[in-house]
Amino acid sequence: MAILVIAEHENGAVAPATLNTVAAAAKIGGDIHVLVAGQGVGAVAQAAANIAGVSKVLVADNAAYAHQLPENVAPLVAQLIQEQGKAYSHVLAPATSNGKNILPRVAALLDVDQISEIISVESADTFKRPIYAGNAIATVQSSAAVKVITVRATGFDAVAAEGGSAAVEAVAAAHDAGKSAFVGEELAKSDRPELTAAKIVVSGGRGMQNGDNFKHLYALADKLGAGVGASRAAVDAGFVPNDMQVGQTGKIVAPQLYIAVGISGAIQHLAGMKDSKVIVAINKDEEAPIFQVADYGLVADLFEAVPELENLL
Amino acid sequence: MKVLVAVKRVVDYNVKVRVKADNSGVDLANVKMSMNPFCEIAVEEAVRLKEKGVATEIVVVTIGPSTAQEQLRTALALGADRAILVESAEELNSLAVAKLLKAVVDKEQPQLVILGKQAIDSDNNQTGQMLAALSGFAQGTFASKVEVAGDKVNVTREVDGGLQTVALNLPAIVTTDLRLNEPRYASLPNIMKAKKKPLETVTPDALGVSTASTTKTLKVEAPAARSAGIKVKSVAELVEKLKNEAKVI
């Protein structure tokens, strides 16, 4: 019995969510193989081979897999599983936008259900996952021959990126469905820690009033070495780009410290951050629902409290 | 071209759901139900494509209990032309729903199928991708912009690091993200007119689809409650607590 983990990678490096996914695979138990699909991914494959606990790295290096179009990558994954007969009992991918895009397509090709965003492994066939924006936790059992699962990174501690020495094996298969093409991308540039991996996250909401005022949060974040997030209200109002949204439909974070500034605390926002270790809320409305989940609440005008907080650090 | 839109009846997004005492599921008795917010965005996009002259007919489909007719009527009031209810009393998982939708796609032969990116009850984010796999169509998930150009559709997608644009051959599957559009409200005259629009009911058996599942839910629990926090009086006190009590900075 072996587990296939689909690696998330960008700019020639293994993305951190891959390490959390390998950790979930280790909890299930069995040989862990990592698939690196892309174009010019030799360095990624080498990095994947160094991940602790990985026994084999499969590299599918082909122009068809550039940008990981699901029409091409999903048949590759399905073929690897079918080729190996009953060797793979599980296929895991991180619940990133790539993982969520590709894996259900794989599940349907294999004619099995998928279990999305697991937060714990109870046994090799039983998993826990949040439903209803995290307001309920379902324990789900699968009888599928191959269990297809996406992993919520914040549910598992990352394994070490070093210490492994897996064999690297090339996969020749090239699937080019010819149905889709990459046109372009517009990626946000930031020197701050990546939101989903940051130890401290500072988030702003509608209370920030405009995009310019986010400079107060950036200054605070830089002092703390924190990532900066936002509520949907701040994104919809155009204060900051979409990829900063924390919540049910944005990113799920669980940092050591989450500082919510000018965020009321709607159900959909809480879904993305309520597993943070310590939550601080700064809001002038003392009735705001965010105070119900905050460990430390400060009822104050954020435009006075945030600069003061920055000065005291 | 013909556009097929899939919608789902779910608990209203403002409702704070409660887990049943016997841990068999969440309590949906007497709870307000609505169209899934992402499905509203899907309907809106189809209506806009029709207003632009790109779409000629909008067919809206749902899979669920007979009460899901309400959500179909809502979609008809928003501008869909006709509706199909695949009636199933039991709760189906995404693969079964995708198989039923595939049967409807085979029958209706739409050029574009629009779904929401995820339903706010199961939070699965699977059905659109599974339908794309079963149909052999290209998929444009988490769409924030959709432009039909000839026999292709350009879809701008919300990805982790920003935005990505892909060109898909038609027919294709698109799943909507929040930023795609702002759904309109149904006007009273349109709600009245929607009552006269055709609504066809079929069963999974009639579509020849097995809805058997390989997963079962063993139990549903409330999440661990957070211990009550405290209110601090000043920024200085907050910093002191974070340093000495919580030890996180």
Side-chain angles (χ1 to χ4, degrees), chain A residues 71 100-101 105 111 116 132 137 139 141 143 179 181 184 186 242 245 248 251 274 276 295-297, chain B residues 99 121 123-124 126 129 136-137 139 141 158 160 163 165 167 179 214 216 218-219 221 226 232 245:
Chain A
E71 295 80 5
K100 291 193 247 194
N101 193 26
R105 195 165 176 123
D111 194 25
S116 294
Y132 289 89
I137 307 295
T139 305
Q141 188 174 45
S143 59
K179 290 182 181 187
E186 209 178 299
N242 309 343
Q245 185 179 331
Q248 183 183 19
K251 293 191 170 127
K274 68 179 179 183
S276 304
D295 298 280
Y296 302 107
Chain B
K99 285 178 178 174
D121 51 0
D123 280 335
N124 271 335
Q126 298 173 3
Q129 295 88 315
F137 295 167
Q139 68 191 51
T141 53
E158 293 197 4
D160 288 335
L163 299 171
T165 304
R179 248 66 61 175
T214 53
K216 66 174 176 192
L218 301 181
K219 65 177 171 191
E221 299 159 290
R226 292 186 73 92
V232 293
E245 198 174 276

Side-chain angles (χ1 to χ4, degrees), chain A residues 23-311:
Chain A
K27 289 221 160 114
I28 293 167
D31 276 353
I32 300 171
H33 298 179
V34 172
L35 170 67
V36 177
Q39 188 180 20
V41 287
V44 179
Q46 277 311 319
N50 290 338
I51 298 173
V54 174
S55 62
K56 195 198 278 185
V57 175
L58 303 170
V59 194
D61 202 330
N62 192 292
Y65 306 133
H67 309 292
Q68 312 223 20
L69 295 173
E71 295 80 5
N72 301 343
V73 176
L76 165 71
V77 178
Q79 186 202 329
L80 285 175
I81 289 160
Q82 282 158 341
E83 235 171 38
Q84 305 283 335
K86 289 185 169 36
Y88 286 117
S89 56
H90 297 74
V91 188
L92 270 55
T96 52
S97 53
N98 258 333
K100 291 193 247 194
N101 193 26
I102 294 168
L103 212 61
R105 195 165 176 123
V106 173
L109 292 175
L110 297 172
D111 194 25
V112 296
D113 293 322
Q114 180 191 290
I115 302 177
S116 294
E117 304 226 8
I118 62 162
I119 52 168
S120 89
V121 173
E122 302 296 297
S123 71
D125 67 359
T126 307
F127 310 91
K128 286 193 176 182
R129 60 175 302 262
I131 53 176
Y132 289 89
N135 286 303
I137 307 295
T139 305
V140 184
Q141 188 174 45
S142 169
S143 59
V146 182
K147 288 147 186 86
V148 179
I149 297 165
T150 60
V151 175
R152 180 172 287 189
T154 57
F156 300 89
D157 293 329
V159 297
E162 302 292 331
S165 55
V168 177
E169 191 178 292
V171 176
H175 293 269
D176 192 347
K179 290 182 181 187
S180 56
F182 172 82
V183 176
E185 63 190 355
E186 209 178 299
L187 298 181
K189 286 186 187 70
S190 171
D191 300 331
R192 293 189 185 85
E194 208 259 317
L195 202 49
T196 52
K199 291 219 162 25
I200 301 179
V201 172
V202 179
S203 282
R206 197 194 304 274
M208 298 307 295
Q209 295 178 2
N210 58 51
D212 193 38
N213 284 336
F214 263 74
K215 64 175 188 254
H216 298 297
L217 297 190
Y218 295 137
L220 176 61
D222 290 343
K223 268 264 169 82
L224 292 164
V228 179
S231 70
R232 181 184 169 189
V235 174
D236 281 354
F239 300 173
V240 291
N242 309 343
D243 54 278
M244 283 170 64
Q245 185 179 331
V246 171
Q248 183 183 19
T249 64
K251 293 191 170 127
I252 311 290
V253 301
Q256 293 290 306
L257 174 60
Y258 187 88
I259 306 180
V261 182
I263 293 176
S264 64
I267 296 171
Q268 292 77 14
H269 184 74
L270 300 183
M273 46 64 80
K274 68 179 179 183
D275 291 326
S276 304
K277 187 162 171 279
V278 174
I279 298 173
V280 169
I282 301 176
N283 204 304
K284 64 181 175 190
D285 173 13
E286 62 179 316
E287 302 295 323
I290 190 77
F291 287 118
Q292 290 164 20
V293 299
D295 298 280
Y296 302 107
L298 176 63
V299 180
D301 184 344
L302 68 94
F303 295 107
E304 288 165 18
V306 172
E308 192 185 342
L309 180 56
E310 191 208 329
N311 282 335

Side-chain angles (χ1 to χ4, degrees), chain B residues 145-233:
Chain B
K145 194 170 166 196
V146 175
E147 282 178 322
V148 176
D151 60 350
K152 285 196 181 350
V153 55
N154 282 318
V155 179
T156 301
R157 310 177 50 236
E158 293 197 4
V159 296
D160 288 335
L163 299 171
Q164 180 195 63
T165 304
V166 289
L168 312 175
N169 294 359
L170 292 173
I173 310 283
V174 167
T175 74
T176 64
D177 214 321
L178 283 173
R179 248 66 61 175
L180 181 58
N181 60 48
E182 193 146 327
R184 71 193 67 190
Y185 292 97
S187 66
L188 188 58
N190 285 342
I191 292 171
M192 300 311 288
K193 274 185 222 155
K195 291 182 178 170
K196 296 204 173 67
K197 289 186 179 177
L199 191 159
E200 174 195 353
T201 300
V202 294
T203 61
D205 284 346
L207 292 172
V209 173
S210 158
T211 56
S213 168
T214 53
T215 51
K216 66 174 176 192
T217 300
L218 301 181
K219 65 177 171 191
V220 175
E221 299 159 290
R226 292 186 73 92
S227 52
I230 56 161
K231 289 233 172 92
V232 293
K233 291 196 171 48

